[in-house]
Amino acid sequence: MTSRITRPGRKASVTVRRATARDAKRLTRLVRGSGAYEGRYAAMVAGYRVGPAYIDTHRVFVAVDEGDISGDHGVRDRVLGFYSLLIDPAELDLMFVADAAQGLGIGRLLVAHMRDEARAAGLDRVRVVSHPPAEGFYRSMGARRTGTAPAAPPAVAWDRPELEFAIPPAA
């Protein structure tokens, strides 16, 4: 299952495809370089690695551009964001959008794709333990707050919002 958007006035379209082991280094760089994890949140991603084994084991999908979406002429198949959907238990484990791609609809595209994948897998809901600054985004995408996941030091020294996406059956 692939999704695609074409931005008006842009030469490129964005495609969501299944990640491969070859994407591991780029996904790791995206996580570690995320501006959302600066300051007090930096320790959580400092040594984080999205490895080939993780990609092979889980449903990891990447949003890639197919040309010139932000002025980088000649750059193709650039990773703009990604997510990982766990099936049992149903959880959105990771979701990141590159800082330079924020505001382009990549997060919205990834959430829509995740919902389609969850539906195809027979899930009726998907849990999200959110990075605190991302809660507003998930809520704007239709997730509802269900609780709070307590801090788990040393990796995560803060409480996190727990949310849930309802996955209605296909119409």
Side-chain angles (χ1 to χ4, degrees):
M1 176 178 309
T2 60
S3 297
R4 180 181 304 261
I5 60 172
T6 302
R7 308 269 311 152
R10 303 287 183 144
K11 298 176 189 174
S13 61
V14 177
T15 301
V16 178
R17 64 163 171 78
R18 188 77 184 247
T20 67
R22 291 176 48 189
D23 294 314
K25 287 182 182 177
R26 294 191 294 174
L27 301 185
T28 297
R29 278 194 303 272
L30 197 157
V31 169
R32 290 182 183 175
S34 174
Y37 284 87
E38 293 177 342
R40 68 178 253 182
Y41 299 116
M44 185 174 173
V45 297
Y48 199 88
R49 182 173 177 263
V50 181
Y54 181 88
I55 292 170
D56 289 343
T57 304
H58 301 295
R59 295 176 187 222
V60 181
F61 293 88
V62 296
V64 295
D65 74 2
E66 295 182 332
D68 178 23
I69 196 163
S70 64
D72 293 335
H73 299 284
V75 177
R76 296 183 57 80
D77 198 32
R78 186 166 29 113
V79 173
L80 301 174
F82 77 100
Y83 77 89
S84 174
L85 176 64
L86 307 182
I87 300 300
D88 189 18
E91 184 172 346
L92 180 62
D93 187 39
L94 298 170
M95 184 170 175
F96 283 83
V97 174
D99 291 350
Q102 301 275 328
L104 298 177
I106 305 305
R108 183 173 301 280
L109 176 68
L110 290 171
V111 168
H113 190 276
M114 180 276 300
R115 284 182 157 159
D116 290 343
E117 284 294 316
R119 185 176 300 107
L123 302 176
D124 63 353
R125 63 194 71 254
V126 174
R127 176 179 182 246
V128 180
V129 177
S130 176
H131 177 50
E135 179 181 7
F137 167 75
Y138 288 119
R139 290 174 67 119
S140 76
M141 295 291 99
R144 67 177 182 80
R145 178 92 184 239
T146 58
T148 301
V156 183
W158 54 89
D159 292 345
R160 293 158 294 152
E162 193 169 335
L163 303 106
E164 183 176 88
F165 282 103
I167 309 295

